[in-house]
Amino acid sequence: MKYFNIIRHILSIFLICGFVSCDDFLDKAPQSQITPENYLNEESQLAAYANGLYTDILPSHANWSYGTFGIDQHTDNQAYITYDNRYVPGQWKVGQTGGDWYFNYIYSCNYFLSKVLPRYNSGEISGSEENIKHYIGEIYFLRAYEYFKRYQEFGDFPIITEPLPDQLEPLIEASKRSPRNEVARFILSDLDKAIEFLSTNIDSRRTRITRDVALLLKSRVALFEGTWLKYFKETAFVPDGEGWPGKEKDYNADYTYPTGNIDGEIDYFLQQSMDAAKQVADKYIDKLTVNTGKVQQSASDPVNPYMDMFGSVDLSGYDEVLLWREYSKGLGITHCVVVATQFGDYGVGVTRGLVESFLMKNGLPIYDPNSGYEGDDNIANVRKNRDPRLSLFLKEPGQKNILYESTEGDHAVPIEPIPNITAASAEKAYSTGYALRKGGSFYQNQCGNGQSYTGSITFRAVEALLNYIEASYEKNGTIDAKADEYWRAIRSRAGVDTDYGRTIAATNMSKEALNDWGAFSRGVVINPTLYNIRRERRSELMAEALRYMDLRRWRAMDQMIDNPYHIEGIKIWGEMQNWYKNEDGTSKLVYGTNDANVSSPERSMYLRPYEKVPTSLVYDGYRWAMAHYLQPIAIQHFLITATDGKTISTSPIYQNPGWPTVAGQGAQ
Amino acid sequence: MKMKKKISFSFGKGILLAFMWIISLAMFAQQITVKGTVKDTKGEPLIGVTVRVEGTSMGTITDMDGVFTLSNVPTDATLEFSYVGMKTQRIPVNGRTSIDVVMEEEAEMLEEVVVVGFGTQKKVNLTGAVSTASSREIESRPVVNVTQALQGLVPGLNISSSNGSLEAKPSVNIRGVTTIGEGSTGDPLILIDGMEGDLNSINPQDIESISVLKDAAASSIYGSRAPFGVILVTTKKGDPGKITVNYNNNFRWGSPVLKPDMMDSYTFATYFNDASINAGWSPHFSSEHLQRIKDYQEGKITYSIIPDPNNPQYWADGYAYGNDNVDWYDAIYKSSTYGQEHNFSASGGISEKTTFYTSFNYLDQNGLMKLSKDFYDRYTVSGKINSELTNWLRFGYNFRFSRENYQRPAAMTDALYWDLARQGWPTLPLYDPNGYLYSSPSPALGLATGGKDKTMTDNTYHQGFLIFEPIKNWITHVDLNYRITTAERHWDSQRTYNHDVNGNPYVYKSSSNVHEDYFNDNYFNINAYTEYSFSLNETHNLKLMAGFQAENLDRTVFGVQRDGIIVPELPEIDLTTGLDYNGNPITPSVNGSRDSWSTAGYFGRFNYDYENKYLAEINLRYDGTSRFREDQRWNLFPSFSLGWNMAQENFWETLLPTINLLKFRVSYGELGNQNTSNWYPTYQIMPVHSNEGSWLQNGTRPNTAYVPALVSSTMGWEKVENWNGGIDFGLLRNRLTGSFDYYIRRTKDMIGPAQELPAVLGIDVPKTNNTDLKTYGFDFELVWRDRLKNGLGYSAKLLLSDSQTEITKYPNPTNTLSKYLEGRKLGEIWGYETIGIAKTDSEMQEHLVSLPNGGQNALGSDWRAGDIMYRDLNDDGKIDDGANTLDDHGDLKVIGNNTPRYLFGIDLSADWKGFDFRAFFQGVLKRDYWQGSYYFWGVTENKWWSCGLVPHVDYFRDEVSNHLDVNLDSYYPRPIFGTGKNQQVQTRYLQNASYIRLKNLQLGYTLPSALTTKANLSKVRIFVSGENLWTGTKTSEMFDPETISGGAEGNGNAYPLSKIFSFGLSITL
């Protein structure tokens, strides 16, 4: 009996165990994580999603560099301490994997729109209607911006508007490249939606995207495509052009332009650009930041708002700044730009070409007999009587870099020294001898290494004025009344004589062609009016990350296919060589040997940063290959979309003109 | 009894005497001296037989004539006679003073019992692959945790330490690669007294034995938590009868092993200048700077840095102007450090029916950090009580607690190992001329004054069990197990200061903050199982077992961080301002999460043997897990095994004297792995963060959310199929024993990186069950154990194991080499074949001429003397990697495999007249490793990711460079910044990471019992023991072969392992 009881007890334990183990015990859902069903249902959640994409997609200062001011470093404007392979045909090679054929941020935007739009349309999202619409508009804008980046690199590009299934077949289908003008039209349509949805006043500090920003971007994109089609017309770089690789694929073989032909398409885009630009330009033409034309050199001097706009902590007071990113030392969101400007801009020097293309204050080119130009034997002379946009930002030895002292900031250089052209490290080097203070600050507390926290400008309204002038001239061949008004406003704010007609008349294209790639399109020198429109852009937007974009859409590098271009800096073999003397009077400058630190005077009076040693691959100058206007697509992208994983020709993707489909090879 | 004489000990005397007094009152009733002779069945005296008073460590061995004498033996004691190859005998004294014994040879080691899943099994009847280690083998090892001591002790149990820092846990794995680790883990299940536990926090001296269950037959009873084997740790318990008390200690001195050495400053500057010049750049160090470096070395100047020429109030930048001469490894690591361990235990029977065991252990281990202390302390307490409540019910309760305190400088993070040499140029000033630490940045300032990082981890285990045996041989167990793990981590990141030329401090790193983390695991486990065993006609032996197991783990984590430490000496969260250096508020960051998982399973086992000759076992487990959705949740896992004891057959009679044991085993089992890294792998999660955005809004970090990663809704079990064939043998009176196992383990439907899809998808393809692999290899163990007639006992144990892995299924349609390849072995290293370094430009030109279709242009340009000549393996007239696919791999070939092969352990020991000696070697016989980090190359493409260690001096020079001679027969090519052309994966620089290491060497002496008994001690042993004393390896000298894959992101620069010398003492009452 006793045993029986025990057995019964044991059995009951097992039964309990059996019940416990039912599926309830094993049903575990995440307790402290959010599943997609519970998110993107409320206004602030939409904002949070957009917040994550701002830094991913939009340009802003990054640490250990000259920030956005250094992005033009491999152009005729600015030169890093080392050259870029895109000017060494053969050395820029097709990659095996990776590259910019990249869709992740596009997916992020598409995911948002696919979740939020149906909920928005059925009224399921809580929050203020205006704000909800605004955040949807931000995502449209961000998708457009991301697309614009890809399209600049590749031209023809797949248009993906929704999250795709993770299955091979539909993805191969989706890999088909749409003709570039269709991509541009798609970007414009996203921007139109953004313009419709975005509110004008979501925040007063303009650290969020606004309707004006979308309009400005629209004018930029349309100007890009309009000018590209114009200058690449009849080449392999435009749909239906001679040798256009899209023709090889069935899906693009019969492509026709929506406007019937390429000229209609060019007009369409230029008109779009003008329309959008005008809306922004008219709104801000009277709100351009004031430029006193003077470099502040003491704490008691009046500040120059135009200079400070590029290096202030809080940019919300500058109406001209349409969108900016705020930094904070305390929050650990910092950059290095102010530190860079204490030295040689993190190895990004300004070229002689850029310096010489600036006008005199009186509106005349430097070579004009009446210009009053004092030559370039030293940097002080270079700055004298020049367009203030040069004299403000070009650093001159002896100037004060710091007006407001602080113990935080051990990387300050209070007095600008002679440029350290022999330093090997990017942090200290003046690659060309010319360095900028654009983006700099007179506050020493900005000078902790990697600890600068001035705001970073993303969009500036003045670009709309420039876009209008160029688009209208490219479209109509004349300076219309609006363009005239805008141009004078820009020059007036800059402090240059507003009579641009006098400049055009004094312009000698054969002189300009020596230094400025923008003097060319299709390898041919352009007319002085168009050139001066481009010059205005170059002067106003110096070091603002738009130069390479402009050079590409102008097709302004063909001339280097046959005629190499030499990047040059200061006139080192003039009187400035006396700056570089040891205590015993011998020169610190070494040339002609393997450990040379400057280029030889036999090559040029001017410092040629890439021509110090003969082993340099650009010892004989920068060259160009047509293919380099677009990026090659890496081989793996062809293989993965090929029907058998091996035969590249079966992939719906086609390579960009001039690029091989073999990894590790350069363009023809 | 009475205290005859006080023996004076140098320490612990008082405590010791007090214990002796208490225990002697209780125990020593009446004592006599026992004498006798031990002979074998042929009448020959046996020398060296161990005679021990049961339940104590009191004992002796027989002399040349087989005679023993034991004094102070209680009249009611039992003597235990043991001898290698003989059956152990237990003989009660019963007041006799003379006992003669005849010992019988042991045909098999029938007595040896091995702990297996939910029970024990006679070793001879085992059909699965089980290996064991005993407490003796981990005794007196001056290690920080048990895992370190287990390395090399059990064949097939692979333990590796890729980092020597005090909190580092060695990685443990059974029989090689289990999964590719891309979404699931394949670690062995570690059970301490039947409950999952942490092997690193347990007191090593509590361990009685360790069983390693290696094949499916042995481990399948644990189901889905143990598809890749189980480590069963059994802790000590009390024996009925006499109470035993032990105290032991050891004191240790450690120093770093194979620490890299840096170049001197002048050599370094020369090296970097050569690399700059080779790149066509300006030399980094100007001639004036070089002179200053030289002058400093020669003592002509005493300042390590000059004032900043542009800003003379401050010292100049160290990288551009420093002229110090520092070996940063010497600057941050000590050459000697100290540790100690004390252990006390008492065990025995409180009454006939109740036994207890209790222990206390204290470990205090200091680390090697020089500028700010790092240390690890561990306190453990354990208690165990077992009682027979009635004749059919037994009860037990175990309690175990461990506390681990670990502290290190807050700056001792991965970043330190990432940056050490690249931010530790020998020329950087360690101290500025005023004697303040100076950061350029460089590692020392942060380590010294950047704050502390402390972690306190507590593990508490409660285990209660009931055992019912209502009918003889029908036994039912009910275990309730509970574990609470809490970890509190506190770190403070302090503001740091450099000093200006006048010695005034100025802020170097302005932020300061305090961080607190709390971690809590609550683990609950119930096991209930019942077994019944019976025999039919004494020949058919059957055992049936069935049971149920459920587990649940709840984890809570939270943390908080606030900026603005008010008083640096009081870094507490409530003593922070929440402001940054400039007084701007910073939102404190908080984090927290709550997670849980559970499993449940039913299991059954059937054992059968026929006269111990033919053995069979079947296991079944039906298992469910919370990690998968209902339709994928449950699975059935069977295993089968058979054994044949050939030596039991009648026809073996004649061979039996030489071959005492010969057993064949074979097993097959299927198991499931549910150990996905993500606890909710089937749920899509939105990554949502508060105050995390870096595009500030209104001056604060905004909230952010990101796109959720895709998940595979069909994700389910990984299936593991396991074949094992083995043979066990014992020869020559079982003095030579051994076993050999061969196994094949297939992991199927493994969670792996999914098939590559076109980039237009725009998001990572979700991981799913799409990969298979096969791991195969062998385990081998051979032991020789003997005692000579002169009393010298000695043994030698050799272990060897091997495993290789092959990917058998993987979706890689383009067969790219950058992903797994079907049908290829895991760990293959693809690289170029090196012809050599061109000694002259013309030699290089000749080589390039032989490559008319592009030379070596795919790898770089400007080839000359001092550069690598690669071999054109596919004869296409150029060097490249083709499409980098299996079908077109250009000139790449498999140059090696980084899988460690042939892991071995050699354990030699001897004892003689109270002396004991042990030498334990461990190592890997074959392993290739490609270590392409800047620590290996020195100069790399990027100047800021380069360094100069002593081996790098052996670089190519075809002309004299400062004080460095021409070096045409160099190991390294010419250093060049800006290109990686010479640093391709290639045969010349493949590392041979095989090694042999003297892991432990110890020498002990047990005081003669004649002496110790006078002090009423049953055993006193003193010993010296050393760890990692010697290493044989061909690996480049900046790396330790054990840590070559360690360091930040595997760059090989890890916290060094330690060479340890220790001594200690063990006293048993």
Side-chain angles (χ1 to χ4, degrees), chain A residues 346-371:
Chain A
Y346 234 90
V348 183
V350 180
T351 62
R352 174 188 169 208
L354 175 62
V355 170
E356 296 200 352
S357 85
F358 273 94
L359 298 170
M360 304 302 292
K361 207 169 165 29
N362 58 22
L364 292 172
I366 55 169
Y367 47 77
D368 189 273
N370 303 317
S371 69

Side-chain angles (χ1 to χ4, degrees), chain B residues 264-301:
Chain B
D264 70 87
S265 54
Y266 190 61
T267 309
F268 172 82
T270 305
Y271 178 55
F272 264 41
N273 273 3
D274 285 352
S276 304
I277 292 164
N278 287 337
W281 300 357
S282 316
H284 182 91
F285 297 91
S286 67
S287 51
E288 172 271 330
H289 192 178
L290 268 179
Q291 189 58 45
R292 199 148 41 77
I293 289 167
K294 205 170 166 199
D295 288 349
Y296 183 83
Q297 266 199 26
E298 290 168 355
K300 288 183 187 158
I301 57 173

Side-chain angles (χ1 to χ4, degrees), chain B residues 122 145 176 214 277 283 453 706 801 895 1050:
Chain B
K122 281 182 184 168
N145 56 52
K214 298 189 284 196
I277 292 164
D453 184 344
Y706 296 92
S801 67
I895 59 170

Side-chain angles (χ1 to χ4, degrees), chain A residues 586-635:
Chain A
T586 55
S587 178
K588 290 179 179 173
L589 304 178
V590 183
Y591 60 90
T593 64
N594 268 341
D595 56 352
N597 55 23
V598 287
S599 55
S600 149
E602 287 154 22
R603 302 187 74 79
S604 172
M605 292 288 277
Y606 294 86
L607 176 63
R608 291 186 170 179
Y610 308 140
E611 301 177 20
K612 296 174 184 172
V613 288
T615 51
S616 167
L617 293 184
V618 289
Y619 192 61
D620 294 321
Y622 272 4
R623 287 184 171 273
W624 190 250
M626 274 308 281
H628 289 191
Y629 281 111
L630 292 174
Q631 211 184 82
I633 297 170
I635 299 311

Side-chain angles (χ1 to χ4, degrees), chain A residues 2-3 6-7 10 13-14 17-18 21 23 25-36 39-40 45 47-49 51-56 58-60 82 91 93 96 101 103-104 107-108 111 158 160 164-168 171-172 174-175 203 205 207-208 323-331 333 343 406-415 417 420 422 424-425 427-428 444 451 453 458 594-597 612-613 615 617 636-637 639-641 644-646 663-665, chain B residues 277 279-284 308 310-311 314 317 320-321 391-392 441 468 470-471 474 476 478 498 506-508 510 526 528-530 546-548 550-552 554 563 580-582 585-587 592-600 602 624-626 630 633-634 680 683-686 688 693-708 710 755-766 813-814 816 857-862 864 878 882-885 887 943-944:
Chain A
K2 182 177 147 197
Y3 287 146
I6 295 160
I7 294 163
I10 292 169
I13 288 168
F14 277 87
C17 298
S21 71
D23 276 322
F25 178 68
L26 296 176
D27 269 335
K28 303 266 184 193
Q31 302 163 65
S32 58
Q33 287 167 305
I34 295 171
T35 54
Y39 205 74
L40 296 179
Q45 296 168 356
Y49 195 95
N51 288 336
L53 287 171
Y54 265 76
T55 330
D56 289 338
L58 298 174
S60 57
T82 51
Q91 286 299 307
K93 292 166 184 169
Q96 178 62 39
W101 190 260
F103 294 78
N104 285 33
Y107 180 91
S108 294
Y111 177 86
I160 314 284
L164 297 168
D166 52 335
Q167 291 153 16
L168 189 59
L171 291 172
I172 291 178
S175 297
D203 77 322
R205 307 186 73 234
T207 49
R208 294 207 83 94
L323 179 67
W324 62 287
R325 178 179 172 191
E326 182 169 11
Y327 288 78
S328 162
K329 189 170 185 175
L331 296 176
I333 311 291
F343 300 91
S406 162
T407 57
E408 276 183 283
D410 58 350
H411 274 54
V413 179
I415 305 291
N420 188 351
T422 58
S425 77
E427 287 89 336
K428 305 285 150 59
Q444 191 173 6
Q451 299 291 310
Y453 52 101
T458 320
N594 268 341
D595 56 352
N597 55 23
K612 296 174 184 172
V613 288
T615 51
L617 293 184
Q636 185 70 1
H637 301 301
L639 295 177
I640 197 70
T641 50
D644 57 355
K646 284 185 194 131
Q665 287 194 7
Chain B
I277 292 164
W281 300 357
S282 316
H284 182 91
D308 188 341
N310 296 327
N311 199 0
Y314 294 100
D317 171 55
Y321 295 97
N391 60 355
W392 54 269
F468 304 87
I471 296 168
W474 180 33
T476 301
V478 178
N498 270 340
Y506 66 94
V507 171
Y508 173 70
S510 68
I526 178 169
Y529 56 101
T530 184
F548 168 79
E551 297 171 286
N552 185 69
D554 294 321
D563 276 60
D580 72 6
Y581 185 68
N582 294 317
I586 296 177
T587 317
S593 68
R594 213 178 285 286
D595 292 289
S596 64
W597 57 257
S598 53
T599 66
Y602 303 88
T625 171
S626 65
E630 232 170 302
R633 181 170 289 160
W634 290 89
Y680 311 100
Y683 287 87
Q684 218 181 357
I685 303 295
M686 292 291 301
V688 174
S694 55
W695 193 288
L696 305 184
Q697 295 294 351
N698 294 316
T700 60
R701 302 185 72 155
N703 299 337
T704 54
Y706 296 92
V707 69
L710 297 181
Q755 175 182 356
E756 190 183 358
L757 287 174
V760 281
L761 175 61
I763 190 165
D764 291 343
V765 190
T814 59
T816 166
N857 290 345
L859 307 180
S861 45
D862 188 27
R864 358 159 137 225
K878 60 177 186 213
N884 198 39
T885 63
D887 313 295
K943 187 196 293 178
W944 305 110

